[in-house]
Amino acid sequence: MDWLDLLAVQDTLKSFLQHHRGFGLFSSDKVGYVGFRFASYIDDYMVLQKEPAGAVIWGYGAPRATVTVTLCRDQEPIMKKVTSVKDSNTWTVVLDPMKPGGPYEVIAQQTLGRINFTQRVHDVLFGDVWLCSGQSNMKMTVLQVFNATGELSNTAAYQSVRILSVSSTQAQQELEDLAKVDLRWSKPTSKNLGHGNFTYMSAVCWLFGRFLYDTLRYPVGLLSSSWNGTPIEAWSSRRSLEACGVPRSGSMPSDLQLGPSAHSVLWNAMIHPLRNMTLKGVIWYQGESNVNFNRDLYNCTFPLLIDDWRQTFHEGSQGQTERLFPFGFVQLSSYLSDEALDDGLPQIRWHQTADFGYVPNQRMPNTFMAASMDLCDRNSPFGSIHPRDKQTVAHRLHLGARALAYGEKLIFQGPLPQKIELLADTGLLNLTYSQPIKVQRRDDKIFEVSCCRDHQCKWLPAPMDTFSTQTLALNITSCHDTPAALRYAWTPWPCEYKQCPLYHPSSTLPAPPFIALITNPSPGYRSRTAK
């Protein structure tokens, strides 16, 4: 070894130690030489994003070294990309778009002088990659759901659905790579799907991916990055929080906040490090920790989180992740709470839609929502805030994904009123829906009318009266003054399990909550059928 080769080795080791002090993700058999490696989540059994996008492969090396990345199938090279390590010690290549399937091997070789180092990952598939994030209802594992034993054993047909779970870590500054993962890329087993309570693997994430696979019939990659009891502020970048004018500090009730709440600490450690990955889309289940914490700002912080994640992943993947990639979320379920939260939970549900009542909308394009207010679980051993029916949640999410992300023409949200008319001298308020409605049961309290006199208003029950295929009349004779507004399901617990009054007749999707002025009757509803 001459002095140039020795210098190259010294530079490589020095730069690695400077940038990755304490990184303990890989075992010794995985690391051929510590100064040259793939990024933390590029590993055996992973799924890379398929066509039309190109998958991004990146890692660390010695500055100015040459890195050659080769994609092999059955030991035969089918693609080769060459790049150089930047002064920041990172290297990146974008693979040509690939059809779904596999398995493949990815080989990366670093050359500097006469020194070569090689890293390999095997059993790599191409398919669609979805990121799942949020708080404890996303963190709940398959072990915690209804029919857990059956779900845990149902893995044999889904070996092309691969899973990864990010460790719960926080950071004060944006990290370049993950500090740690709880579950490296793996094939699903009963053990890694049900490792424990609120550990891995996310039930909503897994079940969503399983439903997708049943439809797509090609590989699906699922990354779970969630933390119990965390507000949206922890998952948002500083720039998006500043754009919404979020105050730096605030009090939060202890029963809803178990995890970190400081600004951006989970964005920094658990989302930003994934930004270079080419994604198909994101699903999100969060909001409970904001019921009494910056609740009135959620109609800004949530849409801006979506905007900011989209921009960050688009730029980080060198344009491979779509700029407006599909973003799905769960509208919060019901839970038993004290009187102080009676209006907070309905408001958060409304703010989750940027106060439109439906998605997609002009503030939240290319988004989809799974309503879950009818999936309550009064006897959940994890508390009513953690309902165990995650199968229905995931099924409703996958309907939205099929419509928005995959262009299927199907119904993925329940009916909302298109027109609200006050029928003079009848004491009736007539609602016209743009979808057919199924009145599963009559309810005298779930609709409420705001009855006003001299700028003083009071919410009164508006019992359900007559109905037809797409219309519903409400009895408002209890309002002897001016009816100013109407709201539906505006309580923490609107109905019992799958027993809300209104559903779409063929899709079992509940009518979501809404609030609307009667003088300006339409809550802006558009057809739920994907165009």
Side-chain angles (χ1 to χ4, degrees):
M1 179 182 293
D2 62 26
W3 69 272
L4 282 173
D5 296 330
L6 182 61
L7 187 62
V9 172
Q10 290 175 330
D11 283 349
T12 301
L13 183 59
K14 181 180 177 182
S15 64
F16 177 83
L17 292 174
Q18 286 176 337
H19 284 265
H20 306 287
R21 199 170 278 127
F23 188 93
L25 177 63
F26 295 107
S27 58
S28 58
D29 66 324
K30 190 70 188 167
V31 180
Y33 177 69
V34 292
F36 176 62
R37 68 172 179 87
F38 289 110
S40 61
Y41 53 81
I42 296 177
D43 207 348
D44 299 338
Y45 307 114
M46 76 178 302
V47 175
L48 294 171
Q49 182 58 43
K50 72 168 188 68
E51 63 181 6
V56 175
I57 304 290
W58 71 283
Y60 295 90
R64 299 176 299 281
T66 298
V67 174
T68 303
V69 176
T70 306
L71 184 69
C72 297
R73 181 85 185 259
D74 298 326
Q75 299 182 332
E76 291 293 324
I78 60 172
M79 186 191 308
K80 188 171 289 190
K81 298 290 180 180
V82 181
T83 189
S84 297
V85 181
K86 296 181 287 189
D87 289 340
S88 61
N89 298 88
T90 62
W91 54 267
T92 305
V93 300
V94 179
L95 301 182
D96 298 336
M98 293 287 296
K99 293 185 181 300
Y104 295 88
E105 184 178 38
V106 179
I107 303 169
Q109 184 177 65
Q110 173 183 278
T111 303
L112 185 61
R114 292 202 297 259
I115 306 297
N116 294 328
F117 295 104
T118 301
Q119 292 284 347
R120 301 169 183 263
V121 293
H122 70 269
D123 200 346
V124 175
L125 305 178
F126 285 86
D128 282 339
V129 182
W130 287 83
L131 170 62
C132 313
S133 187
Q135 56 182 108
S136 54
N137 270 305
M138 183 63 84
K139 190 79 170 172
M140 282 180 73
T141 68
V142 182
L143 186 68
Q144 297 175 268
V145 304
F146 285 136
N147 188 33
T149 302
E151 300 293 4
L152 289 172
S153 64
N154 186 15
T155 61
Y158 299 101
Q159 293 300 294
S160 293
V161 181
R162 306 291 174 81
I163 56 177
L164 178 148
S165 188
V166 176
S167 296
S168 297
T169 53
Q170 52 183 312
Q172 296 303 313
Q173 301 296 328
E174 293 179 342
L175 301 186
E176 189 171 54
D177 198 3
L178 296 172
K180 188 180 179 184
V181 299
D182 284 339
L183 178 69
R184 287 158 60 167
W185 279 110
S186 304
K187 297 180 180 181
T189 66
S190 59
K191 184 177 179 180
N192 60 29
L193 289 177
H195 180 73
N197 293 343
F198 301 107
T199 54
Y200 58 83
M201 175 65 181
S202 161
V204 170
C205 193
W206 163 249
L207 294 166
F208 169 79
R210 206 178 69 185
F211 281 127
L212 276 186
Y213 180 81
D214 286 339
T215 298
L216 301 173
R217 310 307 299 178
Y218 59 70
V220 175
L222 303 169
L223 296 95
S224 175
S225 186
S226 307
W227 194 327
N228 296 9
T230 49
I232 197 170
E233 290 78 5
W235 296 101
S236 304
S237 70
R238 287 189 174 91
R239 60 184 167 270
S240 63
L241 294 175
E242 289 169 359
C244 288
V246 178
R248 275 286 172 187
S249 61
S251 60
M252 182 183 298
S254 58
D255 61 331
L256 295 180
Q257 190 257 321
L258 301 172
S261 60
H263 286 193
S264 308
V265 291
L266 305 184
W267 158 262
N268 291 340
M270 298 175 68
I271 300 299
H272 185 267
L274 302 171
R275 71 200 181 284
N276 296 344
M277 177 180 289
T278 310
L279 293 179
K280 177 64 175 182
V282 169
I283 57 171
W284 171 260
Y285 196 156
Q286 190 277 335
E288 297 91 343
S289 288
N290 285 97
V291 168
N292 262 13
F293 184 66
N294 293 332
R295 177 179 66 231
D296 294 341
L297 293 175
Y298 203 88
N299 58 2
C300 179
T301 51
F302 184 41
L304 268 191
L305 175 142
I306 296 172
D307 291 347
D308 190 60
W309 285 27
R310 283 172 165 168
Q311 179 178 344
T312 300
F313 277 88
H314 179 70
E315 294 175 352
S317 64
Q318 301 185 26
Q320 297 304 308
T321 298
E322 288 182 17
R323 177 63 183 83
L324 293 177
F325 62 73
F327 195 109
F329 64 94
V330 181
Q331 191 178 43
L332 296 187
S333 189
S334 302
Y335 60 88
L336 301 170
S337 60
D338 59 41
E339 192 173 334
L341 300 183
D342 277 356
D343 198 48
L345 186 53
Q347 285 191 37
I348 281 287
R349 290 186 185 123
W350 186 245
H351 292 337
Q352 285 182 289
T353 68
D355 299 351
F356 282 79
Y358 64 89
V359 294
N361 58 55
Q362 62 196 47
R363 184 62 193 86
M364 299 172 68
N366 212 30
T367 57
F368 55 95
M369 176 178 81
S372 68
M373 67 178 184
D374 66 330
L375 302 180
C376 46
D377 188 357
R378 177 183 307 274
N379 299 314
S380 172
F382 315 106
S384 65
I385 198 169
H386 298 122
R388 289 167 288 175
D389 182 358
K390 294 297 191 273
Q391 292 91 334
T392 303
V393 171
H395 187 266
R396 291 174 181 176
L397 276 172
H398 111 281
L399 290 177
R402 286 168 60 184
L404 267 293
Y406 298 100
E408 287 192 55
K409 296 184 184 299
L410 50 79
I411 303 295
F412 66 97
Q413 271 182 86
L416 270 170
Q418 185 181 32
K419 185 167 61 173
I420 302 174
E421 296 175 292
L422 185 61
L423 303 180
D425 303 322
T426 65
L428 296 176
L429 196 61
N430 197 60
L431 280 59
T432 303
Y433 289 80
S434 62
Q435 283 183 333
I437 59 171
K438 174 187 176 183
V439 178
Q440 182 160 281
R441 64 178 182 85
R442 291 178 183 268
D443 190 307
D444 291 342
K445 297 180 179 179
I446 200 163
F447 283 98
E448 296 173 290
V449 62
S450 178
C451 200
C452 301
R453 173 190 285 184
D454 298 329
H455 305 290
Q456 297 293 315
C457 298
K458 183 178 182 180
W459 289 102
L460 299 173
M464 297 166 60
D465 200 284
T466 58
F467 58 89
S468 66
T469 306
Q470 288 188 226
T471 64
L472 172 66
L474 304 176
N475 186 328
I476 59 169
T477 53
S478 62
C479 179
H480 302 296
D481 300 305
T482 303
L486 181 70
R487 67 187 188 185
Y488 173 73
W490 207 263
T491 68
W493 195 284
C495 58
E496 293 304 316
Y497 180 75
K498 293 189 176 180
Q499 289 297 313
C500 278
L502 296 177
Y503 286 81
H504 185 275
S506 62
S507 63
T508 67
L509 295 173
F514 74 85
I515 187 168
L517 295 174
I518 292 175
T519 52
N520 183 20
S522 173
Y525 178 81
R526 288 199 305 229
S527 172
R528 297 280 69 75
T529 304
K531 293 188 171 77

